[in-house]
């Protein structure tokens, strides 16, 4: 999308750019795949960014739950980059890569790719880092167990 310009009388102008696209094929574990439908559109007729964000969060939650082997909840979303529009009829795939495993939290880099009708190549449309916390049955944070041992970082 465009550049975000932050101006302030105290601070110089700042430009925020999305990081460069690292490849032209999805990387990581496929977590979710769905079809963008007319009910998911915004006032401009494109797919609503909030819908795409929710699909990414669902896919990331599936991935984080597999890693943590427990229930997880989303605690942070950072570095979201909306690179391209998503249209009705696009096949949306969310892929996850593990960034970090802490004592109770997991950070996952998620990428949303689309396959447009009549096209052969997937397109990266959105990516960002999502952090999840492992919780117990009462909803309290709990240490993540890996390979039979608690992670101690």
């Amino acid at each position: 999308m465009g550049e975000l310009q932050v101006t302030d009388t105290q601070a110089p102008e700042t430009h925020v750019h999305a990081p460069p696209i690292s490849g032209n094929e999805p990387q990581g574990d496929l977590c979710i795949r769905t079809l963008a439908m007319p009910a998911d559109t915004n006032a401009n007729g494109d797919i609503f960014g909030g819908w795409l964000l929710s699909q990414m969060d669902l896919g990331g939650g599936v991935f984080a739950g597999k890693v943590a082997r427990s229930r997880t909840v989303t605690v942070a979303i950072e570095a979201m980059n909306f690179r391209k529009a998503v249209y009705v009829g696009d096949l949306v795939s969310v892929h996850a890569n593990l960034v970090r495993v802490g004592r109770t939290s997991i950070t996952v880099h998620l990428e949303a790719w689309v396959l447009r009708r009549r096209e052969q190549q997937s397109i990266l449309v959105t990516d960002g880092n999502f952090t999840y916390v492992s919780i117990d049955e009462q909803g309290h944070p709990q240490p993540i167990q890996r390979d039979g041992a608690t992670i101690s970082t």
Side-chain angles (χ1 to χ4, degrees), residues 41-56:
T41 58
N42 60 25
N44 296 320
D46 300 328
I47 297 302
F48 179 56
W51 177 84
L52 184 56
L53 180 74
S54 71
Q55 298 306 306
M56 293 175 73

Side-chain angles (χ1 to χ4, degrees), residues 33-110:
R33 181 171 281 157
T34 190
L35 192 62
M37 299 296 287
D40 307 319
T41 58
N42 60 25
N44 296 320
D46 300 328
I47 297 302
F48 179 56
W51 177 84
L52 184 56
L53 180 74
S54 71
Q55 298 306 306
M56 293 175 73
D57 192 25
L58 287 169
V62 168
F63 181 82
K66 284 182 6 183
V67 172
R69 298 183 188 132
S70 68
R71 291 176 53 202
T72 59
V73 293
T74 310
V75 295
I77 299 172
E78 60 179 296
M80 284 297 297
N81 302 299
F82 291 92
R83 299 174 185 276
K84 305 265 185 196
V86 178
Y87 304 111
V88 171
D90 285 352
L91 183 61
V92 179
S93 301
V94 176
H95 297 261
N97 285 291
L98 185 62
V99 173
R100 178 185 163 282
V101 178
R103 193 177 76 75
T104 62
S105 68
I106 298 166
T107 301
V108 179
H109 182 75
L110 295 169

